[in-house]
Structure formats: C-alpha cells, structure tokens
Amino acid sequence: MNTYIKITINQILIELTYKFNFILSIISNVIQLMTGIFVWNSIYASNVTIEKYSFSEIVIYLILTTATGLLFSFEPIFRLGRMIHNGKLNEMLVRPVSILGESFAYYTGKKSIFIFIYTMLILIFGINAIEKQLLQIIMLLVVNYIMFFMLISLISTISFWIIEIWPLRPILNAFYMLLGGIYFPLDLLPDEMYRIIKYNPFSIVGHFTTRVIQGNYDSRVIKTLTLVSILYAIIFFILYKRIFKKGLKKYEGGGN
Amino acid sequence: MEKKVIECSNLNYSYTSYEKKQGLKGTLADFFKREKIQIDAIKDINLTIYEGEIVGLLGSNGAGKTTLIKLLTGILEKKSGEISCLGSNPFNRRKEYLKNIGVLFGQKSQLIWDLPPMDTLYMLKEMYNVSTSVFEENIKELFNILDLHQWKDTPVRKLSLGQKTKFDLVCTLFYSPKIVFLDEPTIGLDINSQNQIHKFLLEVNKKKKTTIILTSHYIKDIEKLAERVVIISKGEKKEDCSIADLSNKFKVKNSYIIESKNGELPFLQDEEMIVSQINDLTFKITLFSGTLKSINLDLANILSIREDTPNLEDILSEIFLEV
C-alpha cells in the first residue's frame, strides 16, 4: 500500500511543478463552461420554456459537470499507449507492482488537485443534499471514481493491438460530452431516448451524480445508482484482467 | 553443490512482423493486405547459469541478446521450451521473483523525469520492501562509490547522461537483488566511472553472490567483469565458455608474435616459416611444422615472444563476420 501512496504523492509533486499546465487546463474548462452558459443564456432569453430547469439550475449543473470533466478524463488510455509504444511498460513489468494499481495511484495523483476543486464545488452547491445524504453521496462518488477508472483502463488495453490510439480521443470526448450530459441535462432528451441511455457509465458519472449533488434525487435513487456503478466496475475489472493478459502475450517489449 | 538460478532448455521465441512495400502503390496495397513474416528471434537455446556467476551475453546487433533478457525477466512469453528463473516462470510475474531481480536497460532511464532521483528511490524502497536502515546504508555506500551525493536532489531532467546512468544503477542494486540484468550499463560513462562500476559490481558479486548477466558493446566491460561469455547469433547460442577457453579456441596455431628492439628479425628466416611485419618493431611468425630448427637466435634483440592469441574484440569480430 505504501508503494501506491508514494506513487500518488510523486505524481502530486509533478503536477505542482508544472503550474502552467494546471492553470491552462482550468482556463480551457472555464472557457468551455462560459460558452455553455452563453448558449443557455441565449436559449432562455429567447423565451423558450424549459420546465425542469431554471437558468440558475442550469448554470450550477454546467459548473458541476465541467468540474466532472476535469476529474474524469481519458489520460490513462493514452498513457498505456505511450508506454507500449516507447517500451516504458517494460519498466513496470519487471517491478513487483500491480500495473493496474500503479495506474490508479498515478491517476489519483494526477487528479488530486481537481479532486479538491470538485469537493469544494460540491460543498458550495450541494450543501443541502449533503446534509441529508452525506454518506450515500460519498459512497456514490467513490464508486463512480473507481468505476470510471476501470472503464478507461479497459479501453486502454486496446493499445496492445492498435499502435496509435490518439485518434480515439475526439471520439471518446464526444461520447462523454453527449452521453454524460456534459453539454446539457440528459433528462431534457425525449423520454424514449433518455430511457435507453440513462444508465450508461458516462451518464452515472456526469448527469446523475450532478443531479444528486443538486438534491434532486432521494436515497432510493442514490442506492440504485451506486449499485449500477458497482456492477459496471466489476464487469470492467473482469474484462480488463482478461484482455490485459491477452495483450501482454501479444506485447513485443518494443522500444528497447 | 552450485545452485542453478537460471535454466533454459530448447527455448524458442518468435513474433510476427509485416513486410512493407515500397512507394505509394505499395503503401496502398498494404492498406488492404499486408504480407506477414514470422521472425524466429530465439531458437532452441539451452542455458544454465549458476548463483554468483557473471555472464557476458554477446552478439551483433539484432542477434537476440535483449530478447533473451526480456524472456528471462518476464517481459516476453516463450513460444516453446522451458524457462526457469529462481524456480519460477518469469512470465508469471510472481512478486517473489520480481523482488529478487534487478534490471537496467542502458538506454532507458527508470528515474522519474520531473523529480530528483531520491523520489524514485524512496518509491522503489517501498516497492521492494526495503527497511529504512538497510536503504540508508546501501544508498550511502552506492553514492560514495559512484560519487552521487551532490546530485541526489537535482531534478532528473537536469542531470547528464552519465549521472542518470549511475542513478539508474543505484536503483537497480540498492535492494540487493539475487540476479541483476544489465543491458549496456556503462553507456555514456567516462572512463573513471566505468572503472568505479566495474569495481563495484565485482565487489557486490563477491560479497553477496549476486548473479550478473551483462550485455555490452564495450569489450572492456566484458573483459573486466565476465568470467563466462555466451555468444548469440541470429537467435542461436554459438559459444558458451570462459573468455580463456574462447581465446584458446581462436588462437592461431603455430603462430607467434615477436617484438624486436631494433626493428630487425632476431633470427634467420628459412623455408619453414612465413614472416610478416606488423609494425616497425613487431613480426608475426607462422611455422609450417610447429617446431623451429636452428635459426641463430639473437636473444639480446628480443623484447618479447608470445603466442598469437587474438584479443576478445578480434575474436568477436570474427564470430560476427562468420554469420
């Protein structure tokens, strides 16, 4: 356990070293947020009635989903790809450490500042919900974090078969933005469509968790979301283990 | 009874590569269908290494040395044959095995680029479960030998290649692994540092019976460290013997090198020999029969006489050229 804590701490130190990168990622997400608010402001100014959401609720929703975008990103997918491509994976393979564990510790270290920001935003905008359902919300957030990590780790195993996977980035971003409700609340979609996509992993992490923090769901719904998230995490973990093992057999240790 | 630490029998490894056709037409054709080619990187290798040995793994570029190391360290899975390192199959990546090996890939640093070397070392300390007292003692000793104290808090990206290589060596050795795989360990190091590392590795090998498998294109590394050499060529083991035995095998029979003081042959040449002058003072004598008859030897003019035994570099050149 100490190994993984040290890996996390090292990554935090690295993130703090490169202040410009951190500030730039905040700025780019703020720009995205402002764009979203501008668009919705225009929609509301044109006298369109959106029954489920007031303008202030939409703004809070966008702030929280933007923060979600900072925290839940696809970086580990491309990290494994880089390590396979340049042979750095060899270094991991000869060490007595779990590759998945190392990746999780690295990811957590890399996201530690955003975890702090996300927590602050939850405390600011979700104080009502937290007062009523603190433990359930914490449980949901932790499970979501693990589930999302397992999802992107599973996707990352494709790197053993596809040399250059950077073309996947815009595709994954598009899926996440749309299916996660980052651009707009998913329950604004037609009922039929919403029913089909509502429990996808991106939606649980983005749309649903945001609505939970906004206090729109009761304990029963939070429990359901947590269970679905746990189920996803287990499935992704099992698939990851199997595919990673197959991938290692294909791996040629290139780069050295 | 000497303990076997590495045992390979009929070890084979191959991988699939693709032939790339030339030009735009070829590239477009490849887009739809590529020609597969099977590359046999390791063919039927039998190898046993005992505890405490220092083995030089030699071969020309692409011979299969690094592939063999990757099989022994568990990075690659064998296609057929048997492989056992410290009693386990390396590809199973059992923690008990991985904690007892150290691997240094000379051209790939394992240090964290953005942080000082000590941060990597502290992380590895936890990984290999080294107690604080042992860690501090070993690090102090290694830093003293390799003269690294003043650089330990400098971010790795600011270090020179030689300094990084030395720190990589520290990372590989501080937890006293039973087997150490060193792939080009002295690359980029100055002559003093090379000597320091040679001395240190010999000491570690003597004190802790650490088994060392070493690949290097610097002949000096092999001559100073290795008791035994294994020569790989096109995936096959060509030679496996001590350096002395290798020299004897390639020794030119009935051939002698004579150094004279005045640049003249110190005896009379006859039809029983061929004489060639190597430089101003040195002659190479090849006898047809193996015995020298009356030759009016001028002893006072002789600096030295020795058998014509090629040096390791020449032997290896000959072996690599043969294939």
Side-chain angles (χ1 to χ4, degrees):
Chain A
M1 186 52 81
N2 284 343
T3 306
Y4 304 106
I5 293 171
K6 192 71 187 100
I7 292 169
T8 303
I9 291 170
N10 279 347
Q11 198 52 42
I12 293 171
L13 294 176
I14 293 169
E15 294 305 309
L16 291 172
T17 303
Y18 293 105
K19 297 181 268 287
F20 183 72
N21 286 359
F22 162 71
I23 292 166
L24 198 61
S25 63
I26 300 273
I27 290 171
S28 68
N29 278 275
V30 167
I31 292 171
Q32 185 188 299
L33 172 65
M34 299 311 294
T35 310
I37 292 173
F38 174 77
V39 167
W40 280 100
N41 186 47
S42 307
I43 292 170
Y44 278 93
S46 65
N47 294 322
V48 165
T49 309
I50 299 171
E51 284 172 14
K52 289 179 187 172
Y53 295 87
S54 65
F55 179 64
S56 61
E57 277 182 317
I58 282 283
V59 170
I60 293 168
Y61 179 88
L62 288 175
I63 290 170
L64 289 170
T65 52
T66 302
T68 308
L70 278 174
L71 182 56
F72 297 102
S73 71
F74 297 110
E75 178 19 56
I77 297 174
F78 306 100
R79 182 182 181 236
L80 180 63
R82 277 195 307 274
M83 285 166 74
I84 289 169
H85 193 63
N86 65 19
K88 264 290 201 174
L89 183 62
N90 296 346
E91 192 180 293
M92 290 296 137
L93 290 172
V94 300
R95 286 179 179 171
V97 70
S98 154
I99 308 269
L100 185 65
E102 188 275 342
S103 182
F104 185 76
Y106 171 90
Y107 182 67
T108 303
K110 206 162 171 61
K111 295 296 171 185
S112 52
I113 300 168
F114 300 126
I115 290 172
F116 176 75
I117 293 172
Y118 191 57
T119 308
M120 291 297 111
L121 288 171
I122 291 171
L123 289 172
I124 294 167
F125 296 110
I127 194 73
N128 291 332
I130 287 168
E131 277 172 1
K132 291 179 212 167
Q133 296 147 333
L134 174 65
L135 285 174
Q136 285 189 308
I137 290 174
I138 290 173
M139 177 76 165
L140 177 64
L141 290 170
V142 169
V143 168
N144 279 352
Y145 183 76
I146 295 169
M147 181 271 285
F148 189 83
F149 173 76
M150 282 317 313
L151 170 62
I152 55 180
S153 298
L154 173 60
I155 297 171
S156 76
T157 57
I158 206 174
S159 309
F160 284 111
W161 287 272
I162 298 174
I163 297 171
E164 299 283 354
I165 64 163
W166 57 264
L168 277 180
R169 196 188 288 268
I171 299 168
L172 288 169
N173 278 340
F175 268 119
Y176 180 49
M177 300 299 257
L178 287 167
L179 295 177
I182 309 299
Y183 286 137
F184 55 84
L186 290 180
D187 52 5
L188 292 179
L189 288 168
D191 286 342
E192 199 55 46
M193 204 183 287
Y194 179 58
R195 227 191 340 261
I196 293 168
I197 67 166
K198 73 194 255 192
Y199 287 123
N200 79 80
F202 297 121
S203 146
I204 291 174
V205 150
H207 169 80
F208 273 113
T209 303
T210 301
R211 298 300 283 149
V212 163
I213 292 163
Q214 286 183 288
N216 288 93
Y217 293 123
D218 60 21
S219 298
R220 192 181 55 85
V221 174
I222 297 174
K223 269 184 202 154
T224 305
L225 291 171
T226 308
L227 280 170
V228 172
S229 198
I230 289 171
L231 196 60
Y232 270 131
I234 292 170
I235 292 168
F236 295 150
F237 175 74
I238 292 168
L239 286 171
Y240 167 86
K241 282 297 224 184
R242 287 197 177 168
I243 297 173
F244 194 89
K245 199 173 173 183
K246 275 194 161 62
L248 269 189
K249 286 178 190 268
K250 198 179 176 333
Y251 180 59
E252 290 169 8
N256 282 98
Chain B
M1 179 99 172
E2 282 173 323
K3 189 179 161 190
K4 291 178 191 171
V5 292
I6 290 173
E7 213 170 345
C8 308
S9 61
N10 301 113
L11 186 63
N12 284 282
Y13 177 78
S14 60
Y15 61 92
T16 307
S17 184
Y18 297 94
E19 229 172 51
K20 172 122 186 29
K21 296 191 192 74
Q22 296 287 333
L24 181 62
K25 213 172 162 182
T27 304
L28 286 170
D30 284 341
F31 186 81
F32 296 101
K33 193 183 176 195
R34 289 188 297 179
E35 293 294 327
K36 276 189 202 179
I37 44 174
Q38 181 90 337
I39 311 270
D40 294 323
I42 295 289
K43 296 179 218 173
D44 272 329
I45 284 193
N46 294 292
L47 180 67
T48 304
I49 296 176
Y50 295 91
E51 189 184 22
E53 279 197 289
I54 303 180
V55 178
L57 201 54
L58 304 173
S60 56
N61 295 336
K65 311 181 292 296
T66 305
T67 304
L68 182 57
I69 289 189
K70 287 178 185 175
L71 286 164
L72 296 173
T73 52
I75 293 170
L76 300 176
E77 187 186 29
K78 63 177 170 67
K79 289 293 181 236
S80 66
E82 296 302 318
I83 181 169
S84 170
C85 297
L86 296 176
S88 71
N89 178 352
F91 192 69
N92 291 343
R93 293 190 67 240
R94 295 181 66 188
K95 277 205 175 139
E96 298 77 39
Y97 174 61
L98 295 177
K99 277 188 175 171
N100 281 301
I101 65 167
V103 187
L104 174 67
F105 288 113
Q107 310 213 34
K108 282 258 182 300
S109 178
Q110 58 178 308
L111 301 166
I112 300 169
W113 182 253
D114 306 291
L115 299 175
M118 284 311 298
D119 284 307
T120 304
L121 285 165
Y122 281 123
M123 178 189 73
L124 293 173
K125 170 187 173 291
E126 299 304 329
M127 210 177 272
Y128 289 96
N129 214 15
V130 177
S131 70
T132 305
S133 55
V134 168
F135 175 75
E136 283 172 0
E137 190 188 320
N138 289 352
I139 293 295
K140 189 178 170 188
E141 187 186 355
L142 286 162
F143 280 9
N144 281 343
I145 293 168
L146 297 171
D147 194 25
L148 289 174
H149 279 287
Q150 63 177 132
W151 307 108
K152 65 184 176 71
D153 295 318
T154 306
V156 169
R157 66 179 187 274
K158 300 277 189 190
L159 297 175
S160 70
L161 173 61
Q163 288 160 347
K164 278 186 272 199
T165 306
K166 287 191 203 178
F167 275 115
D168 276 317
L169 207 52
V170 173
C171 289
T172 306
L173 293 168
F174 82 90
Y175 52 94
S176 306
K178 288 186 180 155
I179 309 177
V180 172
F181 298 90
L182 302 174
D183 191 15
E184 308 273 4
T186 59
I187 197 164
L189 295 183
D190 58 61
I191 193 82
N192 285 335
S193 301
Q194 286 179 32
N195 290 337
Q196 282 169 341
I197 284 169
H198 295 155
K199 193 176 159 198
F200 173 71
L201 288 172
L202 287 169
E203 234 174 84
V204 155
N205 169 256
K206 193 175 164 189
K207 256 198 265 183
K208 299 182 182 178
K209 284 201 99 180
T210 307
T211 307
I212 300 174
I213 289 103
L214 163 76
T215 74
S216 180
H217 289 295
Y218 289 148
I219 297 299
K220 222 175 182 181
D221 284 347
I222 306 298
E223 283 174 337
K224 289 228 170 167
L225 293 170
E227 308 144 341
R228 174 182 162 197
V229 290
V230 173
I231 300 175
I232 309 279
S233 178
K234 290 185 180 172
E236 293 176 324
K237 191 174 79 172
K238 288 290 176 205
E239 301 287 347
D240 181 356
C241 55
S242 66
I243 293 179
D245 287 343
L246 193 69
S247 297
N248 274 334
K249 194 172 174 182
F250 283 84
K251 187 171 67 184
V252 181
K253 287 199 172 81
N254 301 330
S255 183
Y256 302 88
I257 304 292
I258 295 178
E259 281 181 285
S260 78
K261 287 179 185 172
N262 62 5
E264 286 173 10
L265 200 62
F267 52 80
L268 285 172
Q269 189 174 349
D270 62 23
E271 61 276 2
E272 298 295 317
M273 65 180 78
I274 297 173
V275 177
S276 57
Q277 191 159 7
I278 297 169
N279 59 42
D280 288 345
L281 299 177
T282 314
F283 298 88
K284 180 175 168 176
I285 319 296
T286 307
L287 302 174
F288 293 126
S289 64
T291 52
L292 206 55
K293 290 170 187 162
S294 171
I295 54 167
N296 292 329
L297 193 64
D298 178 8
L299 275 174
N301 188 28
I302 296 174
L303 263 176
S304 67
I305 303 178
R306 56 182 171 84
E307 286 181 297
D308 182 13
T309 307
N311 60 30
L312 185 58
E313 200 167 327
D314 292 336
I315 293 170
L316 292 174
S317 291
E318 197 179 317
I319 294 174
F320 297 164
L321 274 171
E322 266 173 26
V323 294

